[in-house]
Amino acid sequence: MSKIRLGVIGVGNMGRSHCKNIKEGKCPEIELVAIADANSKRIQAMKDDGYESVAYFEDAEAMMDSGLIDSVLVAIPHYQHAEYAIMAMKKGLHVMVEKPAGVYTKQAREMNDVAKESDVVFGMMFNQRTNHIYRKAKELVSSGQLGALRRVNWMITNWYRPQRYYDSGDWRATWSGEGGGVLLNQCPHQLDLLQWICGLPVRVQAFLKFGQWHDIEVEDDVTAYMEFENGATGCFVTTTGDAYGTNRLEIQLEKGKIVIEGGEIRAWEFAMSEPEFSRTTEDPFAKIEKKELEIETDGLNEQHYGVMNAFAGAILRGEPLVAKGEEGINGLMLSNAMHLSAWTESKVTLPIDEDLYYNELMKRVNTSRRKRNVVEIVADTSASY
Amino acid sequence: MSKIRLGVIGVGNMGRSHCKNIKEGKCPEIELVAIADANSKRIQAMKDDGYESVAYFEDAEAMMDSGLIDSVLVAIPHYQHAEYAIMAMKKGLHVMVEKPAGVYTKQAREMNDVAKESDVVFGMMFNQRTNHIYRKAKELVSSGQLGALRRVNWMITNWYRPQRYYDSGDWRATWSGEGGGVLLNQCPHQLDLLQWICGLPVRVQAFLKFGQWHDIEVEDDVTAYMEFENGATGCFVTTTGDAYGTNRLEIQLEKGKIVIEGGEIRAWEFAMSEPEFSRTTEDPFAKIEKKELEIETDGLNEQHYGVMNAFAGAILRGEPLVAKGEEGINGLMLSNAMHLSAWTESKVTLPIDEDLYYNELMKRVNTSRRKRNVVEIVADTSASY
């Protein structure tokens, strides 16, 4: 069996976890050939964990130029995702990027532009798309069986983090180090799934609270209102401050309803579409006939290694990715729109004004509490890729 | 047993329903003595239903002056609630008012001012407060056992109404006839419960869609964001357009969580308050210890007749009301704030600018689709009290 020859850029939490999957045999078409990390302690930790036959590099570009690898996994801090993905693409290497696609859509757009001009496979680590529950929801909505979107409400408040989490790195939850809080660190998956299943809204107004429940400068409490092109509305609520939160997604459609909660999906189909029912019933208090659908899923939820295996299949045999790299910009657009709306205290239209967003972000980066300013910070974060 | 001698003003849907409860013996301390309705067809309908021994009046004031009654139930269209309640109070009659307290808080405030100067018992028909589930939630929050409010999310989208409902009266769902849509007709109960259990927010920004799912001029789709004095946030979502909606109330507190859905209440208590846990745990991914509370309620849900019996008890023996009339202004303040926020496309602070609200409302009343202008409309609605 032929295998792709992968180089991992960054062996922090996520990078190590990917290496472990490969080591444990979950990715039969991937050979872990090389690891790059500027932090020598991390390299030593990998060696201690038994990754002896891997080539190590302190410099990611040197790894890319080594001829050892044909593909990279970018698992470094958000701000640098685009930079290293672009570097790899330009060198003809296939690229898998950890979420989010970047901190601001300008970055993601540049990355997408380079991808368009190159022949490499470009994937995004949206591992939640492998979850059979969300795949089923996507299928139900996309098939048109339940009609057009009416309302989507996602309450994803089970991202609880105590203060200790934020105190575990000086870059964490800072404008300069991460570029955002719960929206950028915890929620890229949900924002991607939201746009994947329901499409992107056209207008967003979001209410963000910064350091409401923690001693941090970025948002840890979000309530966002969304309007879609067809008049549908939505609400997205998230926080890292609710000690025992909720993960409940409800999608109301013209001809049905889907509820995902507690790891289960339920769906109902109406006897006719609501607009037709409303127009034709003669009973002022009529209720629509509905039946609960017997939902069968394949039960698969391969998460990270499923994304990686699809990446290998795409490179080796042209099979579909779990998430195309180019789609990473959508969830980021939604996240950027929420930040911009909160900063400007106004409703914003999508696609957002990317320059305005960037300028507003930089204002915050420049006064970020992590005082050793942006230049030093970039050096600092690169020190942990 | 002594009884109160009740006169009912308006025997439309609600008025008739109250009369039926009394007739069926559910209100042992209430004697239905008189009925006033300017619509002779309605009076005839009551006679046909067997209410022969009751005194009938075409004019509510004549009934009040008849000496037959000591109390009135006001069950006429929203705009006239305050007017007739005030009239009755000034004549020394005890007053029970159907929800909402009025269309705008100026009305409710005037009604409350008159009540303050009089000795009569003044109650509001917030029958949902008799529901054991909501009483339990109120008790849990008010006791302080679960700590301070963090977040309240109420998705009350099961108020489905087809177009036929709106076409059943020319005053329905018009600015001139009702003064609002789902917020004023369907949701006064939930808005009252929300403020009863959680308190009033200090700021509200609401997104209303007018005639989104029906051919009406008022709102039939609402997403409202709320901020409370202590930093807690909330979201209230309602519509009459979702064919198979949801009624789910979640309250997150510092030391616990309450979820009401499907007629059931569940609650959890944390081992310590979240701020203390966040401050003291050394595990960055620590989860709080929690236990589900065994909730026992008295199972009672007396609804309208429970409110009426408490009203009789208040008059006869000074017992507590289910809802004091003066509290009707709170839910209305919330509803008015949501309208004002949507009309002005801005976040509004509570208490709202009542004159601004009134002026904005009158703009809409004056151009209301029900063309026979405001004067005629007032005559028209009084024709159905």
Side-chain angles (χ1 to χ4, degrees):
Chain A
M1 182 192 274
S2 68
K3 294 187 175 194
I4 66 168
R5 294 172 297 133
L6 184 73
V8 174
I9 309 180
V11 280
N13 288 339
M14 285 315 304
R16 285 177 72 114
S17 163
H18 290 294
C19 291
K20 191 159 169 274
N21 283 337
I22 297 168
K23 194 181 180 192
E24 288 174 353
K26 290 179 183 162
C27 304
E29 294 184 323
I30 301 178
E31 191 182 345
L32 177 59
V33 175
I35 287 172
D37 200 306
N39 183 330
S40 58
K41 283 187 194 160
R42 287 207 170 120
I43 288 187
Q44 191 54 51
M46 294 304 285
K47 288 179 181 168
D48 294 345
D49 278 357
Y51 296 89
E52 294 98 353
S53 61
V54 171
Y56 289 95
F57 296 85
E58 289 204 357
D59 177 45
E61 188 162 11
M63 178 176 77
M64 294 185 202
D65 293 335
S66 68
L68 293 171
I69 60 172
D70 53 28
S71 51
V72 295
L73 168 64
V74 179
I76 48 183
H78 315 334
Y79 270 110
Q80 297 172 289
H81 285 181
E83 178 188 346
Y84 283 83
I86 289 170
M87 187 190 291
M89 287 171 189
K90 287 190 171 167
K91 294 177 187 289
L93 299 170
H94 306 293
V95 179
M96 172 60 65
V97 180
E98 261 294 344
K99 56 82 193 168
V103 174
Y104 42 95
T105 50
K106 278 178 84 162
Q107 284 184 314
R109 196 171 304 284
E110 201 187 328
M111 183 166 70
N112 287 357
D113 287 345
V114 174
K116 213 177 291 174
E117 288 161 19
S118 71
D119 286 333
V120 302
V121 172
F122 171 33
M124 277 294 305
M125 184 53 68
F126 285 133
N127 45 288
Q128 287 294 334
R129 287 200 195 178
T130 66
N131 185 326
H132 57 119
I133 300 291
Y134 296 116
R135 276 187 286 121
K136 179 55 77 175
K138 162 77 173 166
E139 187 188 314
L140 281 167
V141 174
S142 297
S143 72
Q145 178 186 356
L146 304 181
L149 181 71
R150 273 292 179 86
R151 183 183 318 285
V152 52
N153 282 55
W154 202 335
M155 190 170 181
I156 169 79
T157 54
N158 65 349
W159 283 124
Y160 182 67
R161 296 288 184 270
Q163 184 63 37
R164 186 58 177 254
Y165 168 82
Y166 291 111
D167 294 344
S168 68
D170 70 345
W171 52 276
R172 270 204 196 281
T174 61
W175 293 115
S176 53
E178 285 201 280
V182 63
L183 286 174
L184 218 58
N185 190 309
Q186 280 77 28
C187 284
H189 294 300
Q190 285 76 35
L191 295 174
D192 174 62
L193 290 173
L194 182 69
Q195 71 81 24
W196 186 52
I197 298 169
C198 299
L200 269 180
V202 290
R203 281 176 296 277
V204 168
Q205 185 149 7
F207 305 93
L208 274 55
K209 293 195 160 233
F210 304 97
Q212 176 70 21
W213 313 116
H214 304 93
D215 181 19
I216 55 174
E217 62 185 19
V218 295
E219 80 283 357
D220 58 1
D221 198 292
V222 175
T223 303
Y225 166 72
M226 297 172 283
E227 292 177 351
F228 293 81
E229 182 112 54
N230 74 342
T233 61
C235 194
F236 186 84
V237 178
T238 192
T239 184
T240 53
D242 285 2
Y244 178 48
T246 292
N247 182 0
R248 184 181 189 279
L249 169 62
E250 176 173 324
I251 303 171
Q252 179 81 211
L253 302 126
E254 276 192 344
K255 204 169 176 273
K257 173 178 171 175
I258 301 169
V259 177
I260 297 179
E261 190 176 4
E264 282 185 13
I265 179 170
R266 296 181 69 184
W268 294 263
E269 184 172 357
F270 309 152
M272 67 175 82
S273 81
E274 190 284 325
E276 188 189 347
F277 181 73
S278 180
R279 229 175 15 244
T280 54
T281 183
E282 296 189 354
D283 171 1
F285 293 95
K287 301 283 179 208
I288 211 158
E289 267 183 68
K290 60 189 178 293
K291 63 165 188 217
E292 183 163 359
L293 298 176
E294 285 184 33
I295 303 275
E296 277 185 35
T297 71
D298 58 24
L300 292 177
N301 187 8
E302 297 185 319
Q303 293 292 327
H304 299 92
Y305 69 86
V307 177
M308 289 306 291
N309 288 338
F311 179 57
I315 295 167
L316 298 171
R317 292 178 303 280
E319 290 170 5
L321 288 163
V322 168
K324 289 183 190 169
E326 290 80 356
E327 294 172 17
I329 198 170
N330 295 336
L332 189 59
M333 176 71 77
L334 205 41
S335 152
N336 282 188
M338 290 178 187
H339 274 112
L340 188 58
S341 168
W343 290 336
T344 61
E345 295 187 1
S346 64
K347 197 186 277 184
V348 302
T349 301
L350 276 68
I352 61 162
D353 180 336
E354 297 184 348
D355 291 324
L356 179 60
Y357 177 86
Y358 183 79
N359 291 338
E360 288 291 328
L361 174 64
M362 284 305 133
K363 275 188 209 168
R364 286 156 183 86
V365 167
N366 290 330
T367 56
S368 186
R369 253 199 262 171
R370 202 177 142 192
K371 289 292 181 210
R372 285 159 301 168
N373 78 44
V374 193
V375 180
E376 202 173 330
I377 282 144
V378 170
D380 201 61
T381 43
S382 78
S384 66
Y385 65 73
Chain B
M1 182 192 279
S2 68
K3 292 187 175 195
I4 66 168
R5 294 171 298 132
L6 184 73
V8 174
I9 309 180
V11 279
N13 287 339
M14 284 316 304
R16 286 177 73 116
S17 164
H18 290 296
C19 292
K20 191 159 168 276
N21 282 337
I22 297 168
K23 194 182 179 193
E24 288 174 354
K26 290 178 182 161
C27 305
E29 294 183 325
I30 301 178
E31 191 181 347
L32 177 60
V33 174
I35 287 172
D37 199 308
N39 183 329
S40 58
K41 283 186 192 159
R42 288 210 170 116
I43 286 186
Q44 192 54 51
M46 294 304 287
K47 288 179 181 168
D48 294 345
D49 278 357
Y51 296 88
E52 295 98 352
S53 61
V54 170
Y56 288 94
F57 295 85
E58 289 204 358
D59 177 45
E61 188 162 12
M63 178 175 79
M64 294 185 202
D65 292 335
S66 68
L68 293 173
I69 61 173
D70 53 29
S71 51
V72 295
L73 168 64
V74 180
I76 48 182
H78 316 333
Y79 270 110
Q80 296 173 291
H81 285 181
E83 179 188 347
Y84 282 83
I86 288 170
M87 187 190 291
M89 288 172 190
K90 287 189 171 168
K91 293 176 189 292
L93 299 171
H94 305 293
V95 179
M96 172 61 64
V97 179
E98 261 293 344
K99 57 83 197 169
V103 173
Y104 42 96
T105 49
K106 276 179 84 161
Q107 285 184 315
R109 196 172 304 284
E110 201 186 329
M111 183 165 71
N112 287 357
D113 287 345
V114 174
K116 213 177 292 174
E117 289 161 18
S118 71
D119 286 332
V120 301
V121 172
F122 172 33
M124 276 295 305
M125 184 53 69
F126 285 133
N127 44 288
Q128 287 295 335
R129 287 201 196 178
T130 66
N131 186 325
H132 57 120
I133 300 291
Y134 296 116
R135 276 187 285 121
K136 180 54 75 173
K138 161 79 172 165
E139 186 188 315
L140 280 168
V141 175
S142 297
S143 73
Q145 178 186 355
L146 304 181
L149 181 71
R150 273 291 178 89
R151 183 182 318 285
V152 51
N153 282 56
W154 202 335
M155 189 169 182
I156 169 77
T157 55
N158 66 349
W159 282 123
Y160 183 66
R161 297 289 184 266
Q163 185 61 39
R164 185 58 176 253
Y165 168 83
Y166 291 111
D167 293 344
S168 68
D170 70 345
W171 52 276
R172 269 203 197 283
T174 61
W175 294 116
S176 53
E178 286 202 279
V182 63
L183 285 175
L184 219 58
N185 190 308
Q186 281 77 28
C187 285
H189 294 300
Q190 284 76 35
L191 295 175
D192 174 62
L193 290 174
L194 182 68
Q195 71 80 25
W196 187 52
I197 298 169
C198 299
L200 270 179
V202 290
R203 281 176 295 277
V204 168
Q205 185 148 7
F207 305 92
L208 275 54
K209 293 196 161 234
F210 304 99
Q212 176 70 20
W213 313 116
H214 304 92
D215 182 18
I216 55 174
E217 62 186 18
V218 295
E219 80 283 358
D220 57 0
D221 200 288
V222 175
T223 304
Y225 166 72
M226 298 173 282
E227 291 177 350
F228 294 80
E229 183 114 53
N230 74 343
T233 62
C235 192
F236 186 83
V237 178
T238 191
T239 184
T240 53
D242 284 2
Y244 178 47
T246 292
N247 183 1
R248 184 180 189 281
L249 169 62
E250 176 174 324
I251 303 171
Q252 177 83 210
L253 302 125
E254 276 192 344
K255 203 170 177 274
K257 173 177 171 175
I258 301 170
V259 176
I260 296 180
E261 189 175 7
E264 282 185 13
I265 180 170
R266 295 182 70 185
W268 295 262
E269 184 172 358
F270 309 151
M272 66 175 82
S273 81
E274 191 284 325
E276 188 190 347
F277 181 72
S278 180
R279 230 175 13 245
T280 54
T281 182
E282 295 189 356
D283 172 1
F285 294 94
K287 303 283 179 206
I288 210 159
E289 266 184 70
K290 60 189 179 293
K291 63 166 187 215
E292 183 163 0
L293 297 176
E294 283 184 36
I295 302 275
E296 276 185 37
T297 72
D298 58 24
L300 291 176
N301 187 6
E302 296 185 320
Q303 292 292 328
H304 299 92
Y305 69 86
V307 178
M308 289 306 292
N309 288 338
F311 179 56
I315 295 168
L316 297 171
R317 293 178 301 279
E319 290 170 5
L321 289 162
V322 168
K324 288 184 191 170
E326 289 81 354
E327 294 173 17
I329 198 170
N330 295 337
L332 189 59
M333 176 71 77
L334 204 41
S335 152
N336 281 190
M338 291 178 187
H339 273 112
L340 187 59
S341 168
W343 290 336
T344 60
E345 295 187 1
S346 64
K347 195 185 279 185
V348 302
T349 301
L350 276 70
I352 61 163
D353 179 336
E354 297 185 348
D355 291 325
L356 179 60
Y357 177 87
Y358 183 78
N359 291 338
E360 288 291 326
L361 174 63
M362 285 306 133
K363 275 188 209 169
R364 286 156 183 86
V365 167
N366 290 330
T367 57
S368 185
R369 254 200 261 169
R370 203 176 141 192
K371 290 291 183 214
R372 286 159 301 167
N373 78 44
V374 191
V375 179
E376 202 171 330
I377 281 143
V378 171
D380 201 61
T381 42
S382 79
S384 66
Y385 65 74

